[in-house]
Structures are given as C-alpha cells and as structure tokens.
Amino acid sequence: MLYIVMNFILIEDNHFFNEKITKIINEYMKRTYLDYKIYPFFDYTAEVYKIIDDNTIQNKIYILDIVCPSNKGTNVATHIRKNDIKSFLIFITDYYDDYQQTMLSEYFMFLAFINKKQNYKEDLFNALHLGTKAINDNNIVRIEKGTLRLTLAKKDILYVHIKDRRTYIVTRYETFDLSMSLQEIFFLLKNGFMYCHKSIIINVLQIRNIVSKTREVYFDEEHYVVASKVLIKEVIDEFEKLCTKKGS
C-alpha cells in the first residue's frame, strides 16, 4: 500500500561501472519497502536535462560521474541546484584527488563524494541509505499497532477522523480502521496536517476548496469534512497561505 517511488538518475560513462552501480542500487533497494526506477545514462545528454527540469518526477537521487565526454558532473550539479534543492546528489569519480578541493569549495549540498578506486560499494550503500531514509521519513508514515503494519504515502491521506469510537484514515482509494487515538496518529503525521475539529485531522496540502458558510472542507467531489466553528478560520488561513505559495 505504498506509492512512493524513488528515482535514481545515474550518469556514468564507463560501462563496467554503470552496470556495477545499477546492480548496487538494485541490491540495496531490495532491502527496502520502496518502489524505485533507475534512469541509466552514459553521458550528460539532452534526456538527462529533461529529467532534471521535470518537476513531476519526485524523490530524485542523482549519481553523477564527475568526468564525462560532454560535461562535468560538477557543472550539471550547479544546473540542478538552480531550481532544485530537494534532490540528493552523489558524486563518483576516478579522479578523487583532483576534485577534492573543488567539492569542498562548492555549495552542492551533496550526500557523498565517492572514490571508484577505493571501497566504492560500501560508500555508495551508505549514501543510498542516507538519501532513501531522508525521503522516506519525509514522505511516508508507518503505523505499527499490535499485529497491524500499515505504510502509507502522506500525500495519499486526505483526513483522519473518529467515528463510533474508532479511528479511520481516509484516502482516495481506501479507508483504514485503526485502534489508535487521534493524538497518536497526529504525532506520526505532523507537518502538513492540522486539526479542523476535535475529532478530525486534515491534510492541508490536499484541500481543493472550502465553503466558509457551511464550514465544508473539500478534498475532491466525493470527500469532504465539516470543520468546527472554532477552527474553521485557522483552516482557511492555512489554505490561503498554501494558495499564495502555489501562485508565487
């Protein structure tokens, strides 16, 4: 029940290392709960730049060979960071000593700078762990209670509410019945979620419309909740802030 997809963009001109790194990614990702896709390239082609500039592709981890035929990984990293500070960068090279000072002086915000001539597999494993864990923690919620094991993408959750002393997580595709308190679930969700009623937590990022007169908060045509008189103003304020950010 997990819809987070990790996207690995690998640029490595050496075919041997390209295949080796692809195998390492596959080996590491088999140990996780995450779906993933690998985009392997042998140079910084136009297709690479399309992926870089495509904001619909989320959860990117770039593995950049520093020296390729058409460009340097450091130049491409600068291009990535112009509009994207969220994606993770891993540099790998045969010329570690030659670029060590460059890596220290530039503001790439990278996960790792890996030397192919040393223990690159272990270093890459560690970097993949750091990147996937950061994306994982930010994007998903894991609920474990008794025998229940539930993993959900936070973006799929519309709201959580209490009905007949039971707690329900509502998504567009399914509703999950949990034996947990609203407070316990709110602690797991945190950022992006707020109370709109003492018995309802909503995903602010999924709000599509608010009817202030009736206090109805809509997520789509089928899913809506009614906020309390006390909290409706806070909900409207948060929604308006979000709309302003999207419009800017």
Side-chain angles (χ1 to χ4, degrees):
M1 197 60 63
L2 180 59
Y3 294 91
I4 296 295
V5 178
M6 300 290 302
N7 291 291
F8 296 94
I9 300 91
L10 166 63
I11 303 93
E12 167 59 63
D13 66 334
N14 183 299
H15 284 244
F16 171 80
F17 275 108
N18 198 299
E19 290 179 7
K20 281 287 186 183
I21 293 168
T22 298
K23 288 180 181 178
I24 291 169
I25 295 170
N26 284 325
E27 185 180 339
Y28 175 80
M29 292 304 293
K30 285 177 182 177
R31 305 180 182 189
T32 73
Y33 293 97
L34 299 170
D35 293 327
Y36 68 100
K37 183 174 181 180
I38 302 173
Y39 300 82
F41 297 95
F42 296 99
D43 198 2
Y44 294 107
T45 63
E47 192 61 33
V48 172
Y49 288 95
K50 285 181 183 178
I51 293 173
I52 291 172
D53 296 331
D54 188 347
N55 294 326
T56 65
I57 302 175
Q58 299 291 311
N59 309 318
K60 299 176 186 175
I61 295 182
Y62 293 92
I63 301 171
L64 307 174
D65 187 2
I66 289 185
V67 179
C68 277
S70 69
N71 208 343
K72 292 182 178 180
T74 49
N75 295 335
V76 176
T78 300
H79 178 83
I80 292 169
R81 285 292 180 244
K82 284 181 181 178
N83 297 305
D84 180 1
I85 61 170
K86 292 182 179 180
S87 295
F88 292 98
L89 308 181
I90 298 170
F91 293 96
I92 190 163
T93 186
D94 271 319
Y95 307 97
Y96 186 87
D97 293 336
D98 295 341
Y99 285 92
Q100 199 167 18
Q101 188 59 45
T102 300
M103 300 308 297
L104 291 173
S105 61
E106 297 290 340
Y107 296 98
F108 294 130
M109 297 180 288
F110 59 92
L111 276 179
F113 176 41
I114 297 173
N115 188 346
K116 292 181 192 174
K117 295 177 181 177
Q118 293 187 2
N119 193 6
Y120 71 90
K121 180 177 179 178
E122 182 179 343
D123 290 341
L124 184 55
F125 251 77
N126 290 335
L128 293 173
H129 175 70
L130 289 174
T132 54
K133 185 178 185 304
I135 292 172
N136 203 2
D137 291 346
N138 186 51
N139 287 297
I140 73 170
V141 58
R142 283 198 179 93
I143 297 170
E144 299 184 9
K145 188 80 171 182
T147 59
L148 175 68
R149 299 290 186 273
L150 182 64
T151 303
L152 293 171
K154 289 183 180 179
K155 67 180 178 61
D156 289 339
I157 299 173
L158 302 179
Y159 60 93
V160 186
H161 71 124
I162 294 174
K163 184 179 180 182
D164 298 328
R165 297 186 179 182
R166 298 290 296 177
T167 304
Y168 298 89
I169 292 182
V170 179
T171 71
R172 286 193 173 86
Y173 50 83
E174 195 169 347
T175 297
F176 301 93
D177 181 357
L178 307 176
S179 57
M180 295 178 68
S181 71
L182 214 55
Q183 290 85 351
E184 286 178 298
I185 295 175
F186 185 66
F187 178 79
L188 294 173
L189 296 173
K190 295 181 180 176
N191 295 339
F193 291 81
M194 68 180 294
Y195 279 90
C196 76
H197 189 283
K198 66 180 181 181
S199 62
I200 306 171
I201 296 168
I202 58 173
N203 186 346
V204 180
L205 296 174
Q206 297 301 321
I207 297 174
R208 293 296 172 262
N209 187 37
I210 298 176
V211 181
S212 56
K213 187 175 181 180
T214 57
R215 306 192 308 278
E216 293 170 329
V217 180
Y218 284 86
F219 306 97
D220 54 36
E221 292 181 357
E222 296 180 15
H223 297 93
Y224 75 94
V225 297
V226 179
S228 70
K229 292 179 181 179
V230 176
L231 294 174
I232 185 61
K233 186 179 184 305
E234 289 183 33
V235 174
I236 291 172
D237 288 345
E238 288 300 315
F239 180 57
E240 288 179 347
K241 285 179 189 176
L242 181 64
C243 290
T244 301
K245 285 182 181 179
K246 287 180 177 179
S248 60

